[in-house]
Amino acid sequence: MATMSNDELLEILSWLPAKAIHKLKSSSKLFSELPETPYFVAKQAENSLKKDRPSCFFIQRDDTLNHNDHVELHPLPGEELSSGVPENMLQFIASSRLKILSSSNGLLLCLHGTELFIINPATCYLLDIPLPNHLQQRRNFPSVSMTLECDSDDYRLILFDNEEWSSHFDCHVYSHKQGAWSLRKNRFFAGSRNLNFDKPVICNGAIHFISDCYRYLAKDSTHFRPYIMSYEITTGDEDGSVETKLLRVPKEARRGSHDDSCNMNIFKWGAVAGHQTICLVRLRKRVFTVWILTNYESSSWRRILKVRVKGMGLVEQNPEIRGFTVLNGYLVFATKKKVYTYGLTSEKYMVLSKICDHGCESRFVRFVPYSDTLRPCGIGAKSLRPYLQLRKHDQAEKVRIRPVK
């Protein structure tokens, strides 16, 4: 029988999540060195990008004050044994009252007050990120949107800011490789409605935001009904070609959208006919409806689900939906104390499963998809391991790291 070479073995191992790799460290000297080997670390992070499927999700209270003293991480179906982060890292995030803004390729973008951090909770490293100069004197960010995007050799922070009562927003981009913020020439037009800047979706080189649904515009307004705005972020804007594009939501989704019970959000779906696309979920009068965007240019959508909450098979009586998202072909939603999946694809279509209980005692909860990787936070990152054994109540004070001025 032919033996496997070290290169072949490392290729196989590089497709594993970080938790599974750390479990192998005690098996041999080779395995113990893997999490510190630059080539293997880069390969594992690159393969996770290729898979482009979260293995877990964070759940926090959806708190507009940015102070969160409770955070949980739960694996998605099939990932229960191989994915996760150290429990003391979750305690650190909670006791430090960090709000998780977004996640990409194993890194978290976190906010505490007016301080920004990049954290890899699987490797227990943290890097503070300086704010753009014009934001460093602010005490809060009521009109700021921030998200994180990783590629194979760099990561970027994308920030939209509006210091005026205007529908046009500045777009600032921080490249870790360059170590600096840059202001893009072309501004982002948000339309006449308020956008849900807290839940951006990056797909096909553009960042997308959905508007609110409330009835406060005149019926003859162009933006009377809810809509989606996208802004190109992968191309340079030196030639002025960066485009803000309005996407119409499905006609069926527009009907009744001003109802107080209507809640709509967009999420990354996956590939349709060879192209990545987004989906739209509406919860109105205790009915979930899900559409997939099938044609970007014409704003064409295909409905894939419409179901009453009481018809989903929940044991709970009159459950109140506290939050929802779409992950790996599942509608994932939280009630007061439980989290469920509901299948949206053929294999598990309309099959309900309970994932876990949760302890987020809040009217609304926030989901952040996550995949554990070995990806470095970058030059200057600090290891949190020396601090993670401190008593829980004084972790936040002793590990506080100030932004670079």
Side-chain angles (χ1 to χ4, degrees):
M1 180 180 295
T3 58
M4 186 180 298
S5 69
N6 280 353
D7 288 344
E8 291 171 329
L9 179 59
L10 292 181
E11 173 64 27
I12 294 172
L13 295 177
S14 67
W15 289 92
L16 295 177
K19 178 181 176 180
I21 293 169
H22 279 291
K23 283 183 176 181
L24 295 172
K25 287 174 64 175
S26 60
S27 302
S28 70
K29 184 175 185 298
L30 173 64
F31 291 167
S32 68
E33 296 173 349
L34 288 182
E36 311 298 332
T37 305
Y39 169 79
F40 182 80
V41 167
K43 185 68 174 175
Q44 192 267 347
E46 181 183 354
N47 287 343
S48 180
L49 273 176
K50 291 177 181 177
K51 287 191 291 187
D52 196 25
R53 286 174 61 86
S55 57
C56 316
F57 61 86
F58 288 94
I59 182 170
Q60 278 188 309
R61 300 184 182 103
D62 201 355
D63 186 351
T64 57
L65 296 178
N66 301 330
H67 291 290
N68 295 267
D69 57 1
H70 185 86
V71 61
E72 300 176 12
L73 179 70
H74 298 285
L76 285 163
E79 303 286 348
E80 292 82 359
L81 298 178
S82 59
S83 296
V85 303
E87 181 63 31
N88 52 9
M89 270 304 301
L90 294 178
Q91 294 172 359
F92 170 78
I93 292 172
S95 63
S96 301
R97 294 180 176 268
L98 298 176
K99 180 176 182 179
I100 303 173
L101 299 179
S102 67
S103 169
S104 180
N105 200 213
L107 301 184
L108 304 181
L109 174 61
C110 298
L111 177 69
H112 181 278
T114 57
E115 297 175 292
L116 277 179
F117 303 98
I118 294 292
I119 295 178
N120 186 325
T123 62
C124 304
Y125 272 83
L126 174 149
L127 177 68
D128 60 293
I129 301 293
L131 286 168
N133 291 333
H134 74 286
L135 291 181
Q136 291 187 12
Q137 304 305 316
R138 288 197 194 178
R139 295 184 178 181
N140 54 60
F141 302 135
S143 60
V144 171
S145 165
M146 288 176 279
T147 192
L148 169 69
E149 184 196 34
C150 293
D151 59 29
S152 59
D153 64 348
D154 194 12
Y155 63 77
R156 299 182 298 171
L157 276 60
I158 303 161
L159 183 153
F160 290 94
D161 176 44
N162 183 351
E163 296 189 80
E164 314 160 354
W165 290 101
S166 166
S167 296
H168 290 84
F169 286 72
D170 291 324
C171 178
H172 302 262
V173 177
Y174 178 86
S175 164
H176 176 68
K177 183 179 286 186
Q178 297 175 1
W181 289 92
S182 60
L183 174 65
R184 303 200 86 186
K185 183 183 302 182
N186 290 270
R187 305 187 81 192
F188 169 59
F189 177 61
S192 303
R193 287 189 162 274
N194 295 319
L195 298 187
N196 189 349
F197 278 119
D198 202 34
K199 296 182 176 66
V201 177
I202 296 177
C203 184
N204 290 332
I207 189 166
H208 303 74
F209 302 95
I210 192 169
S211 73
D212 64 11
C213 302
Y214 301 117
R215 186 192 296 270
Y216 54 80
L217 296 177
K219 199 165 185 178
D220 59 355
S221 168
T222 305
H223 302 130
F224 177 67
R225 295 294 184 184
Y227 53 84
I228 298 166
M229 281 292 189
S230 72
Y231 177 84
E232 294 179 21
I233 56 173
T234 56
T235 57
D237 64 346
E238 293 80 6
D239 60 356
S241 63
V242 173
E243 180 183 10
T244 296
K245 179 178 176 62
L246 185 146
L247 300 173
R248 297 188 305 274
V249 300
K251 186 175 181 180
E252 182 183 0
R254 298 195 294 268
R255 289 197 295 265
S257 58
H258 294 326
D259 189 278
D260 288 342
S261 69
C262 186
N263 182 6
M264 287 198 291
N265 268 307
I266 53 173
F267 306 99
K268 192 170 182 179
W269 172 256
V272 172
H275 299 282
Q276 295 294 313
T277 191
I278 62 175
C279 64
L280 169 70
V281 180
R282 184 180 81 164
L283 176 63
R284 176 178 175 267
K285 293 186 176 179
R286 300 176 63 79
V287 175
F288 274 117
T289 312
V290 182
W291 297 266
I292 297 172
L293 181 64
T294 56
N295 189 300
Y296 203 84
E297 296 304 319
S298 64
S299 295
S300 299
W301 299 80
R302 175 167 57 90
R303 192 181 77 187
I304 62 170
L305 179 75
K306 186 172 185 177
V307 61
R308 294 185 178 277
V309 171
K310 68 178 183 180
M312 299 175 81
L314 297 168
V315 177
E316 299 173 68
Q317 296 296 318
N318 300 316
E320 182 181 349
I321 306 300
R322 299 293 176 91
F324 56 84
T325 186
V326 172
L327 300 172
N328 298 350
Y330 292 97
L331 173 65
V332 181
F333 63 95
T335 59
K336 183 178 180 181
K337 294 184 177 180
K338 302 180 187 299
V339 179
Y340 298 91
T341 61
Y342 198 70
L344 299 176
T345 56
S346 56
E347 183 180 351
K348 296 286 185 178
Y349 187 68
M350 298 185 74
V351 175
L352 178 78
S353 298
K354 176 190 166 186
I355 295 182
C356 60
D357 295 320
H358 75 86
C360 296
E361 297 178 356
S362 175
R363 184 181 176 190
F364 301 107
V365 299
R366 173 184 177 85
F367 291 98
V368 179
Y370 173 72
S371 294
D372 49 316
T373 76
L374 300 172
R375 183 170 188 137
C377 295
I379 298 173
K382 300 186 179 183
S383 174
L384 294 171
R385 293 189 183 278
Y387 306 99
L388 292 179
Q389 301 305 317
L390 296 175
R391 290 182 301 170
K392 183 177 181 180
H393 71 270
D394 64 1
Q395 282 180 351
E397 185 65 27
K398 292 188 178 182
V399 188
R400 189 70 177 277
I401 300 175
R402 297 290 180 182
V404 177
K405 299 296 184 182

